[in-house]
Amino acid sequence: MEGRELIVNRAARFLRDGDLVNLGIGMPTQVANHIPEGIEIQLQSENGFIGIGPTPSAEEWDHDVVNAGGQPASILPSGCTFDSCMSFGLIRGGHVDATVLGALEVDQEGNLANWIIPGKKVPGMGGGMDLVAGANMVIVTMEHCDKKGNPKILKKCTLPLTAAHEVDYIITELCVLHVTPEGLVLEELAPGVTAEEVQAKTGADLIIPEHVGCMV
């Protein structure tokens, strides 16, 4: 297991039995396919669903059921649908136990930039600002570096912020980082990856404990 599959599999194992969880657009939606056996999670989609299930096959897909990114989704027998007012009432009311979302940049203070690159057209912020502020736990899933090899985990975000001091965990293909008041703690490493390699690819100083766990 490597790359994106490793990231979403690890994110799924942060979720607890009975949690109400929101999955962001893109890579986070794949977390739905990796929920551990024996754990019952209610997945909430900001376009008005609770009870989102695994990605369906083309033959099984009901074209009226899509996730927040407009991708095919399934809804479990216990699921329900509602309007955007109810959806954001749940989010802003603090009823979402965890949210998993992507990022352009994250920094050592738990600041998140995930909605715009200056000069490029985007459809808008979506529900990211509400989710990051309203969820009880914020998990960022992303590649460790951008396509040019530049770190996406920094001492201070350079892009416009989605939210300040809200990120709890960062999961990449290299490691799991815990955002603490003291800084970024390296909690787990991917198989074959060293702490020195992670530090070299990170634009912030890491706190490296004597024992670092394994992501798998």
Side-chain angles (χ1 to χ4, degrees):
M1 189 183 300
E2 59 184 21
R4 291 190 165 205
E5 186 179 7
L6 177 65
I7 294 171
V8 296
N9 182 272
R10 183 62 189 89
R13 289 190 285 114
F14 266 109
L15 307 180
R16 299 163 297 188
D17 193 50
D19 276 354
L20 179 63
V21 180
N22 181 282
L23 302 179
I25 295 171
M27 189 195 320
T29 61
Q30 298 305 308
V31 172
N33 299 326
H34 292 268
I35 303 299
E37 290 187 16
I39 301 294
E40 291 190 10
I41 302 295
Q42 291 290 331
L43 293 177
Q44 188 256 1
S45 183
E46 66 196 67
N47 58 322
F49 290 100
I50 288 180
I52 289 287
T55 303
S57 66
E59 295 75 22
E60 297 174 330
W61 177 35
D62 178 344
H63 288 236
D64 289 326
V65 182
V66 295
N67 61 31
Q71 300 165 321
S74 64
I75 184 165
L76 301 176
S78 59
C80 60
T81 65
F82 36 80
D83 62 16
S84 292
C85 291
M86 174 66 76
S87 184
F88 279 88
L90 290 167
I91 294 167
R92 294 171 182 172
H95 302 289
V96 176
D97 294 295
T99 185
V100 184
L101 70 171
L104 297 168
E105 293 178 346
V106 185
D107 68 29
Q108 64 189 15
E109 298 177 11
N111 299 322
L112 169 68
N114 82 333
W115 76 283
I116 189 171
I117 298 175
K120 292 191 176 183
K121 292 183 178 180
V122 294
M125 185 175 287
M129 180 185 290
D130 301 271
L131 284 161
V132 176
N136 296 323
M137 179 168 62
V138 176
I139 302 167
V140 168
T141 57
M142 67 179 195
E143 280 85 9
H144 207 90
C145 298
D146 65 19
K147 293 180 180 179
K148 295 181 179 179
N150 300 312
K152 295 170 66 175
I153 302 169
L154 308 170
K155 289 185 177 180
K156 197 76 173 179
C157 288
T158 63
L159 296 173
L161 295 185
T162 304
H165 310 295
E166 295 287 357
V167 175
D168 296 299
Y169 290 95
I170 306 165
I171 305 174
T172 76
E173 76 281 9
L174 301 180
C175 66
V176 175
L177 299 173
H178 185 193
V179 183
T180 73
E182 292 74 34
L184 297 175
V185 178
L186 179 61
E187 290 204 341
E188 298 178 9
L189 288 165
V193 176
T194 66
E196 291 75 18
E197 179 183 354
V198 174
Q199 180 61 83
K201 295 181 177 180
T202 304
D205 294 328
L206 301 179
I207 300 170
I208 303 176
E210 183 176 346
H211 173 73
V212 178
C214 181
M215 287 177 67
V216 177

